């Protein structure tokens, strides 16, 4: 996935992917045999982020931490 995000500097983005959902409706991230998440530390303003390795998954979970104000996702695509 390729994301275009506007965020305050120091915001942490964890991007996780999975092929299935668990009962709570979240991606199944329980398989520890695979690297299922990527972490990005965002700079202030617009950021374009993309994992360095190819990813697959029907479901994505974006988790933002340490943001002082709202984060805005301007675009999202798969290559």
């Amino acid at each position: 996935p390729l994301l275009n995000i506007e965020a305050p500097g120091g915001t942490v983005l964890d991007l996780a992917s999975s092929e299935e959902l668990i009962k709570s409706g979240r991606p199944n991230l329980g398989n520890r045999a695979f690297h299922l998440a990527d972490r990005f530390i965002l700079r202030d303003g617009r950021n374009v982020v993309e994992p360095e390795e190819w990813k697959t998954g029907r479901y994505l979970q974006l988790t933002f931490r340490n943001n002082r104000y709202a984060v805005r996702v301007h675009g999202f695509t798969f290559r």
Side-chain angles (χ1 to χ4, degrees):
L2 179 72
L3 294 121
N4 186 332
I5 299 169
E6 185 175 353
T11 297
V12 176
L13 165 61
D14 291 325
L15 172 65
S17 62
S18 176
E19 288 292 328
E20 63 185 3
L21 298 177
I22 57 176
K23 290 181 182 180
S24 68
R26 293 180 178 217
N28 181 5
L29 304 177
N31 187 345
R32 301 292 181 215
F34 298 99
H35 178 69
L36 299 173
D38 291 281
R39 176 165 281 182
F40 301 92
I41 310 298
L42 305 177
R43 68 180 187 279
D44 195 46
R46 294 286 280 262
N47 296 264
V48 176
V49 296
E50 182 176 31
E52 291 183 12
E53 298 175 347
W54 183 80
K55 300 289 180 194
T56 184
R58 294 175 58 196
Y59 304 99
L60 292 176
Q61 178 175 305
L62 305 177
T63 304
F64 295 96
R65 299 175 180 16
N66 301 334
N67 51 308
R68 296 183 313 275
Y69 55 85
V71 172
R72 177 179 234 170
V73 178
H74 290 282
F76 172 84
T77 59
F78 276 104
R79 290 193 199 213

